Amino acid sequence: DTGVSQDPRHKITKRGQNVTFRCDPISEHNRLYWYRQTLGQGPEFLTYFQNEAQLEKSRLLSDRFSAERPKGSFSTLEIQRTEQGDSAMYLCASTSSKGGYEQFFGPGTRLTVL
Amino acid sequence: AQSVTQPDIHITVSEGASLELRCNYSYGATPYLFWYVQSPGQGLQLLLKYFSGDTLVQGIKGFEAEFKRSQSSFNLRKPSVHWSDAAEYFCAVGASNAGNMLTFGGGTRLMVKP
């Protein structure tokens, strides 16, 4: 069990560029979550998958954001036409629907939009 | 919709002193409750969880929390704080009827004086 991994750990981009983040959950976990955390705040839910199905999306997830989990394993989060307000830490978590429901978090991807 | 309030943004305690971090939640059904700790620039580590049963739960690193339904609280305690406990602490409630996405409080930053 290697834990949840995220790549890259840091991303600096210019406003208007597209970025993509990857999350690899714990291998036996069928649920995967994305959260966003801005400085000095708690994480906020963005979206979650059960296997490959995206079951819930927050109103925070504007149409510039898209998430996929094509084979029910790793997931990607893409932000198109980035804005300075997108600067945040993007956290991924996973859990098993058959387990204790505790979510295990990855180290996060820190996005800075210049 | 669920919500979590952590009334104390910052707390400073002396090493060896006892600690209590407050958490109040709002949720219509039986809540799943969690405490996570986050060190600077890192992801979230689960300290403890409450789903049902005994209202006093033990966690890692010597932490415990007590669920009080009548007060809608889930306060975190530690009898003797160590310098390494300095970090940000987040209380969260899970939506047991909807994929268990977590709603976090704003966090409490703990500083430890030598």
Side-chain angles (χ1 to χ4, degrees):
Chain A
D1 181 356
T2 58
V4 179
S5 61
Q6 292 187 246
D7 184 70
R9 293 291 307 276
H10 303 274
K11 179 71 176 179
I12 301 174
T13 191
K14 293 182 179 179
R15 190 174 52 187
Q17 298 296 304
N18 299 344
V19 295
T20 300
F21 310 141
R22 176 179 169 125
C23 171
D24 287 87
I26 293 171
S27 58
E28 63 268 27
H29 286 178
N30 61 338
R31 285 186 174 174
L32 186 149
Y33 303 78
W34 286 99
Y35 294 84
R36 182 173 69 186
Q37 184 179 24
T38 53
L39 208 58
Q41 303 296 318
E44 296 174 291
F45 168 77
L46 292 178
T47 188
Y48 96 95
F49 293 83
Q50 179 151 317
N51 301 313
E52 65 276 8
Q54 188 173 18
L55 297 186
E56 188 76 26
K57 291 194 289 187
S58 162
R59 58 180 170 75
L60 294 176
L61 212 66
S62 76
D63 56 6
R64 294 185 298 106
F65 287 70
S66 62
E68 293 183 343
R69 194 182 183 199
K71 297 182 179 179
S73 57
F74 73 91
S75 174
T76 58
L77 178 68
E78 181 183 16
I79 308 174
Q80 296 182 327
R81 305 181 303 282
T82 53
E83 302 173 356
Q84 287 186 326
D86 297 331
S87 296
M89 175 81 90
Y90 290 85
L91 294 164
C92 176
S94 70
T95 191
S96 169
S97 61
K98 300 178 182 178
Y101 294 104
E102 59 266 41
Q103 294 180 22
F104 295 87
F105 282 80
T109 294
R110 167 78 62 193
L111 173 67
T112 302
V113 182
L114 301 176
Chain B
Q2 63 263 33
S3 66
V4 178
T5 301
Q6 293 180 246
D8 304 305
I9 297 175
H10 294 100
I11 283 185
T12 300
V13 300
S14 297
E15 191 168 15
S18 63
L19 171 70
E20 182 169 29
L21 302 183
R22 296 183 290 165
C23 171
N24 292 97
Y25 69 90
S26 172
Y27 185 61
T30 300
Y32 295 159
L33 294 163
F34 306 85
W35 274 100
Y36 285 87
V37 61
Q38 186 177 39
S39 298
Q42 302 299 312
L44 295 146
Q45 181 182 22
L46 179 69
L47 286 176
L48 46 77
K49 62 188 179 186
Y50 172 79
F51 295 150
S52 64
D54 193 345
T55 57
L56 184 64
V57 293
Q58 302 297 320
I60 63 171
K61 304 185 179 186
F63 286 93
E64 67 177 27
E66 186 171 12
F67 170 59
K68 293 185 177 180
R69 184 185 299 275
S70 62
Q71 298 177 18
S72 297
S73 70
F74 188 57
N75 294 348
L76 182 71
R77 300 194 293 249
K78 186 170 185 178
S80 177
V81 169
H82 188 264
W83 64 267
S84 60
D85 293 324
E88 185 112 28
Y89 292 79
F90 293 96
C91 180
V93 61
S96 57
N97 60 348
N100 200 37
M101 59 277 265
L102 298 178
T103 298
F104 287 85
T108 297
R109 178 162 296 280
L110 173 65
M111 290 174 280
V112 180
K113 292 190 299 185

